Amino acid sequence: MKDEKTTHFGYQDVPVGEKAGRVRQVFDSVANKYDLMNDLMSLGIHRLWKRQTIELSGVRKGHRVLDLAAGTGDLSARFSGLVGDDGLVVFSDINAAMLQVGRERMEDQGRVGNLHYVQADAQYLPFPDNHFDCVTIGFGLRNVTDKQLALNTIFHSVKPGGRLLVLEFSKPTHRALEKVYDLYSFTLLPKIGKLITDDEESYRYLAESIRMHPDQETLKGMMEHAGFERCDYFNLTGGVVAIHRGYKL
């Protein structure tokens, strides 16, 4: 019998068909404490990373924006204000629990007119070709089963002249920082997860998923392979996080 194809779930090899369900379980578990954990894990610096992403997006009034892996909506909220009443922000996440938490948060903030909510897998987007001025995926690409397929699919959904921005954990550029980061990720982070969410294993997976994600140059090459041009990246916090940008010309 032919062996079933596998992929990585953190440091584990699992059947390709199982990964999405396992990732879903992780985010079902952490959805209600997601914002608190983001602040604790990054000491609040994630807000600066997202602000830089917004500045690189080029989004303005009237634009259509797709925010993939939108989580609880930090990027979507900012885009909603930028595109105005004539624009559109599609708030999308593969996880129903995260989508619900994000929608409630946006409604609590009074952001209702130009936000649409779609549960979607980045690998199989239900949107027309050449539809969005900007697509973002923040801290979500590393959880996608087939990252290249997702990038290919995103390329089709971007308008000519539009751009993709990938905000994601990456590879520290200094060896000393990498050692400190590893110690934090595999020792302290799971214990914070246990204390706040009573779920140590989900945060151990998150740390492992970061290490398995392509480094800066590899991800840049994957974006170019998908068809994006003028691809570049910006290392933040010593490369702990990077913003990749590519254009559809």
Side-chain angles (χ1 to χ4, degrees):
M1 188 173 73
K2 188 176 180 180
D3 291 340
E4 185 173 0
K5 192 173 181 182
T6 62
T7 188
H8 59 80
F9 176 76
Y11 289 163
Q12 301 177 51
D13 285 331
V14 300
V16 165
E18 290 185 10
K19 180 169 179 176
R22 290 183 178 228
V23 171
R24 187 179 304 113
Q25 290 175 357
V26 168
F27 286 94
D28 282 346
S29 173
V30 305
N32 288 327
K33 297 289 181 68
Y34 186 77
D35 289 329
L36 174 60
M37 283 299 298
N38 276 349
D39 282 330
L40 290 173
M41 287 189 300
S42 71
L43 303 178
I45 299 173
H46 72 98
R47 300 175 189 278
L48 299 178
W49 299 333
K50 291 167 182 172
R51 185 181 304 164
Q52 183 70 18
T53 304
I54 297 292
E55 290 175 358
L56 291 170
S57 72
V59 168
R60 58 184 184 272
K61 287 191 180 300
H63 273 185
R64 282 199 295 251
V65 178
L66 172 60
D67 183 16
L68 292 168
T72 56
D74 284 349
L75 292 177
S76 287
R78 291 173 172 85
F79 285 135
S80 175
L82 288 173
V83 303
D85 294 339
D86 294 329
L88 172 69
V89 177
V90 176
F91 184 124
S92 180
D93 203 289
I94 193 174
N95 183 272
M98 292 297 300
L99 194 64
Q100 182 62 29
V101 170
R103 183 169 192 157
E104 290 172 357
R105 183 184 179 204
M106 295 300 98
E107 290 174 351
D108 287 346
Q109 294 178 5
R111 300 181 186 276
V112 293
N114 58 10
L115 277 166
H116 289 190
Y117 300 88
V118 177
Q119 186 176 356
D121 184 334
Q123 301 169 112
Y124 311 105
L125 295 176
F127 307 110
D129 288 353
N130 306 317
H131 192 64
F132 294 102
D133 298 283
C134 180
V135 177
T136 59
I137 180 166
F139 302 114
L141 186 61
R142 73 180 187 279
N143 296 310
V144 174
T145 302
D146 188 333
K147 298 172 181 61
Q148 189 63 63
L149 176 59
L151 292 170
N152 297 347
T153 303
I154 291 168
F155 178 79
H156 289 294
S157 73
V158 176
K159 287 180 178 180
R163 68 188 76 183
L164 165 66
L165 291 167
V166 180
L167 171 63
E168 189 55 89
F169 291 105
S170 200
K171 184 175 177 58
T173 54
H174 302 288
R175 182 62 183 160
L177 176 59
E178 187 173 16
K179 289 181 177 180
V180 172
Y181 185 43
D182 279 345
L183 182 65
Y184 167 76
S185 299
F186 292 104
T187 303
L188 187 58
L189 176 57
K191 299 204 177 301
I192 295 174
K194 173 69 174 175
L195 179 66
I196 301 300
T197 69
D198 196 29
D199 185 353
E200 184 172 346
E201 286 307 308
S202 288
Y203 285 92
R204 192 175 305 281
Y205 158 73
L206 292 176
E208 292 175 359
S209 71
I210 291 167
R211 298 310 184 277
M212 298 300 291
H213 186 66
D215 65 17
Q216 289 91 326
E217 283 295 324
T218 302
L219 181 54
K220 179 184 175 184
M222 292 171 69
M223 291 173 62
E224 291 170 341
H225 183 74
F228 289 101
E229 300 182 51
R230 290 168 51 196
C231 296
D232 54 3
Y233 59 84
F234 305 84
N235 285 320
L236 308 177
T237 317
V240 167
V241 163
I243 303 171
H244 282 70
R245 178 178 61 181
Y247 296 85
K248 182 174 181 177
L249 302 179

